[in-house]
Amino acid sequence: MTFTLDDKTILVTGGTGSFGRRFVATVLERYRPRKVIVFSRDESKQWEMEHEERFQDEAMRYFIGDVRDFSRLELAFRGVDYVVHAAALKHITVAEYNPFECIQTNVHGAENVVRAAMNSGVEKVVALSTDKAANPVNLYGASKLASDKIFVAAKHIVGAGSPLFSVVRYGNVADSRGSVVPLFRAMIERGAKSLPITDRRMTRFWITLQQGVDFVLSCFDQMVGGELFVPKIPSLRVVDLAEAMGPGLPHDIVGIRPGEKLHESMITEDDARNTIELPDRYVIKPAIFGQEHTYHPDQLQVEEGFEYISHTNEHWLDPKSIRNILESS
């Protein structure tokens, strides 16, 4: 049976963010949902979203709330079939200086989403993670790792019933508000004579917003619960990104910020024993209980010691490819 969201009710936490907006627009374009609920705490962003032409649809609903508030989540989840949990505090330095707030949203918020989904009859929940949750060196990454563990363990709590819970982990999003792209773009528009680079060796995984949305939708179709999906995506060198956006501009080396990594990892060596490879993705199966499932006829167990790290990736973007992606996204 072909996957569809027709006649389904979908709720997106953090729905006014970069991912949420693109996800909602894609759902409205491709399907005929019963309802699409944007759950977020910023009334101004909801008002702006509500008045955009692409969101003028009778299926749209806007729900003010915070994932820290369990009772509000439980109320919002009534009658919801699918949930995408995208709400999070995502800026590394903000999390480092506001640790209590980071934990409240990213960890306790994840727990609230799980409990509310179980109490409200939700069918499936996909939570968005980040490459920074693999071997984390900053509080943001550590909080998202805790969130990942909560969603994976939720299958163990629910057992054979529903909801199904899964996690999607991917790298930097090319055209999101949290990426370096808007910073470089704003500096170039102001006539900057150089661009700041933390370290010439720095590499990152790279994915566009639309690719992220499409991947989440495909995971709703494939999930059996408790797994963590990782897409096969390219890497880039940050110096190549700067060259793509500002050809010929010199680079100022400013040093790595507190909590930053030189390279990012999405699958660690310790995860390898529970990881299978599919043509377009990896799946980290839950380690706390057995799960035998065939996601694809060509799936393979990865080799012992396998790691998926940005600087050893086989797929790379050069400045020309980066420029083409930015122009088309």
Side-chain angles (χ1 to χ4, degrees):
M1 181 178 177
T2 303
F3 173 75
T4 182
L5 291 177
D6 291 347
D7 202 35
K8 296 287 187 180
T9 296
I10 307 99
L11 182 145
V12 186
T13 70
T16 58
S18 300
F19 175 90
R21 293 165 66 89
R22 182 64 66 89
F23 182 86
V24 169
T26 300
V27 168
L28 293 176
E29 180 182 339
R30 296 182 184 175
Y31 308 104
R32 294 183 178 180
R34 185 186 307 120
K35 294 180 185 177
V36 179
I37 303 171
V38 171
F39 183 95
S40 71
R41 62 187 182 181
D42 192 324
E43 64 173 332
S44 296
K45 290 180 182 177
Q46 286 195 10
W47 186 89
E48 292 169 2
M49 188 172 176
E50 187 175 3
H51 287 79
E52 280 191 42
E53 183 176 352
R54 59 178 172 164
F55 301 118
Q56 300 302 307
D57 192 289
E58 62 181 10
M60 290 298 301
R61 303 288 188 277
Y62 297 89
F63 207 107
I64 295 291
D66 195 314
V67 293
R68 301 181 183 194
D69 186 340
F70 169 72
S71 61
R72 187 64 170 165
L73 269 176
E74 194 173 37
L75 183 64
F77 280 13
R78 290 180 181 177
V80 171
D81 300 303
Y82 292 172
V83 171
V84 178
H85 177 46
L89 292 183
K90 301 174 182 176
H91 290 273
I92 293 173
T93 52
V94 172
E96 294 297 305
Y97 287 103
N98 299 274
F100 295 171
E101 299 303 304
C102 177
I103 295 300
Q104 285 289 333
T105 296
N106 293 358
V107 181
H108 296 311
E111 179 187 2
N112 288 338
V113 168
V114 168
R115 291 173 56 213
M118 289 192 294
N119 291 352
S120 306
V122 171
E123 294 179 22
K124 296 182 177 182
V125 179
V126 169
L128 301 191
S129 184
T130 169
D131 49 8
K132 294 166 182 62
N135 280 344
V137 298
N138 52 60
L139 183 63
Y140 167 57
S143 69
K144 291 301 289 182
L145 176 60
S147 172
D148 294 353
K149 297 293 187 181
I150 288 170
F151 283 100
V152 169
K155 176 178 172 60
H156 182 62
I157 298 169
V158 172
S162 62
L164 298 179
F165 296 92
S166 294
V167 177
V168 165
R169 176 185 291 170
Y170 50 66
N172 289 31
V173 180
D175 36 7
S176 71
R177 289 196 293 255
S179 79
V180 72
V181 170
L183 171 64
F184 281 175
R185 187 174 288 135
M187 292 181 68
I188 292 168
E189 289 175 353
R190 292 196 301 265
K193 302 301 182 182
S194 63
L195 294 177
I197 301 293
T198 51
D199 191 297
R200 293 191 183 278
R201 299 166 295 171
M202 183 172 283
T203 64
R204 289 292 183 265
F205 288 105
W206 206 248
I207 190 171
T208 67
L209 264 179
Q210 191 60 54
Q211 288 171 337
V213 167
D214 293 341
F215 189 72
V216 168
L217 288 170
S218 72
C219 292
F220 270 121
D221 187 28
Q222 294 191 21
M223 64 189 290
V224 296
E227 66 274 273
L228 195 154
F229 293 100
V230 177
K232 292 182 179 180
I233 54 177
S235 294
L236 57 71
R237 296 172 181 83
V238 176
V239 290
D240 288 341
L241 173 62
E243 177 62 26
M245 298 190 67
L249 283 180
H251 302 154
D252 288 333
I253 307 303
V254 297
I256 294 178
R257 297 174 299 174
E260 263 192 326
K261 286 183 179 180
L262 193 59
H263 310 291
E264 292 288 1
S265 172
M266 286 204 286
I267 301 175
T268 68
E269 181 178 353
D270 292 323
D271 286 327
R273 65 179 63 95
N274 299 311
T275 300
I276 59 173
E277 180 180 5
L278 281 60
D280 66 338
R281 72 193 66 197
Y282 298 97
V283 182
I284 304 175
K285 298 183 294 183
I288 59 175
F289 53 89
Q291 175 176 287
E292 295 300 327
H293 177 73
T294 301
Y295 295 89
H296 189 279
D298 297 329
Q299 71 183 42
L300 297 170
Q301 173 68 39
V302 302
E303 296 180 357
E304 184 176 351
F306 171 81
E307 295 179 287
Y308 192 35
I309 308 177
S310 58
H311 73 294
T312 59
N313 194 2
E314 296 180 355
H315 186 189
W316 287 85
L317 296 174
D318 58 22
K320 181 179 180 182
S321 301
I322 297 168
R323 194 177 301 115
N324 290 339
I325 290 173
L326 292 175
E327 290 174 353
S328 62
S329 61

